[in-house]
Amino acid sequence: QVQLVESGGGLVQPGGSLRLSCAVSGSVVSIYTMAWYRQAPGKQRKLVAAITKGGTTSYADSVKGRFTISRDNAKNTVHLQMNSLKPEDTAVYYCNGNINHDIQWGQGTQVTVSS
């Protein structure tokens, strides 16, 4: 069984920064593309950023230049550095990964951007 556990969410003022982390544990054979999604109240879950096993990244237009996704293959972790946060970034952020050719999700971590 595989688990994805997110951490690092919280309350931050507009313009501030947060760093989310996702740790993959369990019966891991291989980790392929990892991603972060977010879901605001009353809205659909949307892709925020993704990173392939080789390190190629992609971002939603709304976060380009502000967010950076990274991964540590040796530690089975993925991070999302979020800078210049805006109130519209408020959402539950979910870690997602292709683990052993199965799509897995974390439980989510709340990010609230408010003064």
Side-chain angles (χ1 to χ4, degrees):
Q1 191 163 350
V2 173
Q3 285 188 316
L4 279 64
V5 179
E6 301 103 332
S7 61
L11 173 64
V12 63
Q13 291 187 341
S17 298
L18 281 176
R19 179 177 169 88
L20 304 183
S21 296
C22 174
V24 182
S25 62
S27 302
V28 177
V29 175
S30 192
I31 302 175
Y32 300 96
T33 296
M34 296 292 296
W36 288 94
Y37 285 72
R38 67 187 181 187
Q39 187 168 19
K43 296 189 176 181
Q44 288 187 329
R45 191 173 299 188
K46 293 185 177 180
L47 178 65
V48 175
I51 184 167
T52 68
K53 188 174 184 177
T56 299
T57 59
S58 58
Y59 298 92
D61 287 344
S62 59
V63 306
K64 280 181 182 177
R66 300 188 298 122
F67 291 11
T68 302
I69 189 171
S70 62
R71 65 190 287 168
D72 184 334
N73 290 333
K75 296 182 178 179
N76 291 346
T77 57
V78 63
H79 305 284
L80 185 68
Q81 178 66 43
M82 306 186 293
N83 299 328
S84 302
L85 283 161
K86 304 175 181 180
E88 51 264 43
D89 294 318
T90 295
V92 178
Y93 283 71
Y94 296 91
C95 180
N96 165 282
N98 181 340
I99 316 295
N100 303 338
H101 295 292
D102 284 334
I103 300 301
Q104 304 284 345
W105 291 90
Q107 80 287 352
T109 185
Q110 177 70 46
V111 171
T112 302
V113 185
S114 175
S115 54

